[in-house]
Amino acid sequence: MARLTGIPASPGVAIGRVFPVDRRRARVPRYHVQPEQVESEVARLDAAVKASVDQLRQIRQSLGEGEQSAILEAHGLMADDPTLLEGARLLIREELLNAEWAVRRMVRDISEKMGSDGYLGERRADLDEVGDRIVHNLMGEQPVSTVVPGDEAVIVAYDLQTADAAVLLSSGKVKGLVTDFGSKTSHTAILARALEIPCVMGAGQASEIARAGDLIALDGNTGEVLVSPDHDEVLRFETARAEAKFREASLLEERDLAAITLDGRRVFLHANIEFPEEVPSVLAHGGEGVGLYRTEFLYLNREGLPSEEEHYKAYASILKQMAPRPVTIRTLDLGGDKLPIGHRSHEPNPALGLRAIRFTLKHPQLFRTQIRALLRSSVHGELRIMLPMIAALDELREAKALFEAARQELRREGTPFAEKIPLGIMLETPAAALAADRLARECDFFSVGTNDLIQYSLAIDRGNRDVAYLYRPLHLGVLRMVQSAVDGAKAAGIECAMCGEMAGDPAHALVLLALGLDSLSMNPADIPPVKRVLRSAELRDAKELLEAAMNYSTVDEIEGYVLEQMRKRFPQLITR
Ligand code: PEP
Ligand code: MG
C-alpha cells in the first residue's frame, strides 16, 4: 500500500480502480533499427503522417470557417511538410533511427532554426503539437479526449487540462480524480466540485506509483490518497463516506429556508455552474439562483465553435429550469487555463494575456454570436449578464456598445428580448477593486471573483502547486480589496456579490457577511453548510469578529483567529 497526501480539491470519499490518463508529452522510444527494417520503418512513418493529416482534415471540416480552422489548416500543412518528412526519412535511412526518434529530432532541428520570438515562436508551438500528433499516431495512442473511462474509474493523471477534464468527468463514470500537479482553484478542480466528483490535486507522484486497475481510495476532504489499500483502510474510507452522507442529509433539512441571520440580515445564496445539466443539483441544494454560469464550457469539450442556436438552447434551458429565480450568465472567459480542445496557448504568460473580456473584445464576431443568443434567451426567465475580468472602464463601455448594436439588430429583425436586463461586471483585478466606485456608476451589479483577484493581487499562479500555500483568501490586502468593492457598490446603490471559491467556504461566511456582501455564489453542494452558519449567526457578532481579525497584520494571525472563532461557534461544520 502507498499513502500520498495532496491538496483536498473536491470533497467526498471515493474508492475505485485506477484509470491512468497521461497528458505529458509521450515518452518517445529511441532505438536503432536493423538495415533490413529500414523500409518498413519508413512505411510506418508515412502511415502515421497520413493518419495525422487525415485527422487534421476531419477536425477542420467539422469547424467551418474561422480562426481555429485556419490554425488547423496550418497544422495540416506542417504535418505534410517535405522538410519534416524527407528529413525524418533520411534519419531513418542514414542513421537507422526509429521513426518516433526521427520525428522528434526533425521537429527539434526545424524549431531551433525558427527562433523563439513573435510569430515564429508561435509557429514553433504549432510544430511541436504537430510532432506530438505524429508520434502519438506512431505509438498507436488515442488522444485523451476520445478515451472512455471504465465503471468505477478513478482517474490518475500527472495533470489534466480543463478541456480533457470536461470530457472525462462528465462521462458519468468517473468516481474520483487524483493529479500529481494542479491546485484547488484550477478550473479542473472547480469542475470536479461542480460535478461532485471527489478530487485530490498536487498528490506528488500518484501517476507514477498507481498502475491501471489498482484499487485506490481518496478523501477529497483531507487530501489523503491510498494506492492498493488493505481491508481495514477500505473500511475506514467507507465509514467516512457514510458519515459525510449523514451530515449532508441533516443540513438539507433547511433547504427551503432563506439564509437570514438571527438579527435579520439576508444574504442570497446562489450557485456556480458549468453545464445546464447541473441545474437540478442547484435546486436540490436550495440554490436561490445561479450566480455564475461559466459559458466558456460550451467551447471546451468539442472541436468546433458553438453556433448561436447552441448558445441560445443552453441559456434558455437554464433560465426555464430556474425561473423565476435569477440566472447570472457570464460572457465567455476563454484563455488562461481554459482553451478549446487541441489549442495550446502561444502566449508566454496566458494568465496575463488575451483572456476573458480582452479575448471577446478582440473577437467581436465571436462575441456577437453569444450576445445575440443571450438577448434572445432573456424572454425565458430572469436573466442577468456579467462580464469577466473588467479591469478598466473602457472595456465596460466597449462591451456595452456591442450589446447596444446587437439590440438594434434584433429590433430590426423583430426578434423579441427583455428590455431591462441587468449588466454586471466581475471584479477580478486589484485595479478594478480599487476603482470600484467609478465602475459602479456604469453597471448594474458587481461580483467579486476571488479566484483571480487573489491570483493577481498576491501574484500567485492559481494552477501552480508550488505556490498554492501562499493562496490565502484572508490576507489583509484581499479583505481590504473586497471591502473597497462593497463600498463602491453601496455608494452607487448597486448589489455586490461574490462568486469565487472563497464564497463557498463556511469558515469565511461570517467574514463575508460582515464585509457586507449581498449574495454569495458557490458550488451547489457548498450552499447547505454556508446557510447553516448564516442562519445561526448575528450580523453584530460577525462585525466584531471581522474588526478583531482585521486588527491583526499577518495572514497566519488573521486566519488563525477566524478559524478559532468559527470552530468555537460551529464545531460540527468547521473541521479544519
Ligand atoms: C473567479 O476568478 O473568482 C471566478 C469566479 O472566475 P473563474 O474561476 O472562472 O476564473
Ligand atoms: Mg475568474
Side-chain angles (χ1 to χ4, degrees):
M1 181 178 82
R3 187 186 300 271
L4 299 161
T5 309
I7 300 164
S10 173
V13 171
I15 303 165
R17 296 280 165 189
V18 171
F19 182 81
V21 171
D22 201 344
R23 268 296 304 210
R24 265 175 300 182
R25 295 187 76 192
R27 267 197 212 101
V28 175
R30 286 162 204 244
Y31 53 90
H32 287 102
V33 293
Q34 299 300 322
E36 62 274 18
Q37 292 172 320
V38 160
E39 285 318 310
S40 68
E41 197 63 9
V42 168
R44 210 162 70 80
L45 170 71
D46 289 351
V49 168
K50 183 174 177 312
S52 303
V53 173
D54 287 349
Q55 285 162 1
L56 288 164
R57 187 182 311 117
Q58 270 175 23
I59 300 172
R60 190 164 68 82
Q61 277 164 359
S62 69
L63 285 180
E65 289 309 308
E67 193 166 330
Q68 301 191 71
S69 163
I71 292 171
L72 281 157
E73 184 166 348
H75 282 196
L77 291 174
M78 275 184 186
D80 225 2
D81 181 57
T83 322
L84 176 64
L85 193 56
E86 281 307 324
R89 283 188 188 133
L90 211 65
L91 286 172
I92 298 174
R93 291 205 166 101
E94 292 189 351
E95 297 189 28
L96 301 179
L97 304 189
N98 66 316
E100 288 91 341
W101 191 358
V103 170
R104 275 276 193 269
R105 266 270 294 275
M106 277 316 295
V107 166
R108 196 193 62 199
D109 290 354
I110 300 173
S111 217
E112 276 169 5
K113 288 195 192 105
M114 282 178 169
S116 61
D117 293 337
Y119 174 76
L120 284 178
E122 287 189 14
R123 309 309 291 162
R124 226 164 101 146
D126 286 335
L127 180 65
D128 275 351
E129 208 167 309
V130 168
D132 281 352
R133 182 175 289 278
I134 300 175
V135 168
H136 278 297
N137 278 312
L138 276 166
M139 295 169 66
E141 288 176 354
Q142 284 176 293
V144 169
S145 51
T146 61
V147 298
V148 182
D151 290 333
E152 304 296 309
V154 170
I155 290 180
V156 179
Y158 172 74
D159 190 9
L160 200 57
Q161 292 198 349
T162 314
D164 296 330
V167 178
L168 291 168
L169 301 188
S170 55
S171 68
K173 298 199 165 170
V174 176
K175 295 283 169 277
L177 169 65
V178 178
T179 65
D180 297 358
F181 201 73
S183 81
K184 197 175 170 173
T185 39
S186 69
H187 283 98
T188 297
I190 288 173
L191 192 60
R193 283 194 292 280
L195 297 172
E196 297 182 38
I197 295 174
C199 166
V200 174
M201 301 206 115
Q205 298 161 327
S207 72
E208 280 167 36
I209 294 169
R211 312 220 161 270
D214 280 354
L215 190 64
I216 184 167
L218 67 119
D219 187 336
N221 305 302
T222 62
E224 198 180 0
V225 178
L226 300 181
V227 183
S228 306
D230 58 30
H231 179 69
D232 286 354
E233 292 287 8
V234 172
L235 216 61
R236 184 166 69 82
F237 271 70
E238 276 171 352
T239 312
R241 187 160 59 182
E243 279 171 5
K245 285 225 150 55
F246 179 74
R247 235 187 347 262
E248 194 184 322
S250 127
L251 288 173
L252 278 176
E253 286 168 9
E254 292 174 350
R255 190 187 64 187
D256 300 322
L257 301 176
I260 303 180
T261 63
L262 297 170
D263 47 356
R265 162 81 179 161
R266 178 162 189 181
V267 179
F268 290 90
L269 298 186
H270 294 163
N272 296 348
I273 60 170
E274 280 73 39
F275 305 101
E277 292 77 12
E278 286 176 82
V279 173
S281 163
V282 175
L283 297 172
H285 288 95
E288 298 171 280
V290 167
L292 166 65
Y293 167 38
R294 291 181 164 98
T295 58
E296 56 278 8
F297 279 81
L298 281 170
Y299 291 75
L300 294 187
N301 54 356
R302 54 184 296 145
E303 302 280 0
L305 292 175
S307 64
E308 181 180 319
E309 220 40 44
E310 284 172 83
H311 279 279
Y312 170 77
K313 275 196 188 129
Y315 306 157
S317 150
I318 297 173
L319 283 160
K320 282 182 200 161
Q321 293 181 74
M322 289 300 297
R325 303 172 187 85
V327 173
T328 305
I329 301 187
R330 176 174 78 181
T331 61
L332 61 101
D333 182 1
L334 283 176
D337 64 345
K338 286 177 290 195
L339 289 167
I341 286 176
H343 283 252
R344 259 202 262 192
S345 174
H346 300 309
E347 294 178 314
N349 202 338
L352 300 180
L354 202 62
R355 61 168 288 206
I357 191 71
R358 304 165 183 182
F359 181 91
T360 33
L361 291 178
K362 192 91 177 184
H363 298 96
Q365 277 310 326
L366 197 101
F367 200 18
R368 177 174 163 267
T369 304
Q370 175 165 45
I371 294 176
R372 282 180 55 94
L374 278 168
L375 295 176
R376 283 175 53 207
S377 73
S378 64
V379 296
H380 296 295
E382 286 301 305
L383 172 67
R384 292 148 48 103
I385 298 173
M386 180 157 84
L387 306 169
M389 243 184 98
I390 293 283
L393 203 45
D394 312 299
E395 291 165 334
L396 171 58
R397 289 180 182 161
E398 206 179 324
K400 277 176 142 181
L402 293 174
F403 270 92
E404 194 40 46
R407 278 197 176 89
Q408 284 178 14
E409 211 175 89
L410 292 178
R411 270 189 210 109
R412 272 198 304 274
E413 290 170 15
T415 309
F417 59 93
E419 272 308 318
K420 184 81 194 94
I421 306 169
L423 179 70
I425 62 172
M426 288 192 70
L427 298 184
E428 305 189 85
T429 63
L434 296 175
D437 55 338
R438 308 301 164 83
L439 289 161
R441 293 177 192 164
E442 302 193 26
C443 66
D444 299 315
F445 64 92
F446 283 160
S447 190
V448 184
T450 49
N451 303 340
D452 279 314
L453 185 62
I454 295 169
Q455 154 163 274
Y456 295 128
S457 58
L458 300 185
I460 294 155
D461 177 351
R462 60 192 271 191
N464 184 343
R465 167 173 94 114
D466 295 335
V467 289
Y469 73 100
L470 293 169
Y471 200 96
R472 311 279 287 274
L474 296 177
H475 189 293
L476 188 59
V478 175
L479 295 178
R480 284 184 174 163
M481 273 189 272
V482 176
Q483 186 74 74
S484 164
V486 175
D487 289 348
K490 292 233 176 328
I494 65 167
E495 181 203 319
C496 189
M498 177 182 282
C499 64
E501 295 301 299
M502 183 180 185
D505 186 340
H508 297 149
L510 293 194
V511 166
L512 301 180
L513 168 72
L515 281 168
L517 288 147
D518 299 296
S519 70
L520 302 175
S521 193
M522 60 199 79
N523 292 297
D526 293 333
I527 293 175
V530 171
K531 184 186 281 185
R532 172 70 55 90
V533 169
L534 292 172
R535 284 181 54 82
S536 338
E538 281 187 29
L539 177 59
R540 188 193 45 76
D541 171 51
K543 281 191 170 157
E544 279 172 22
L545 186 151
L546 177 68
E547 197 185 325
M550 287 181 76
N551 271 331
Y552 289 105
S553 302
T554 72
V555 66
D556 278 343
E557 288 165 349
I558 299 177
E559 199 178 283
Y561 176 74
V562 170
L563 279 177
E564 180 199 315
Q565 293 296 316
M566 293 301 285
R567 270 191 228 111
K568 231 190 250 169
R569 288 168 175 76
F570 309 98
Q572 313 280 344
L573 285 173
I574 315 295
T575 46
R576 62 193 159 99

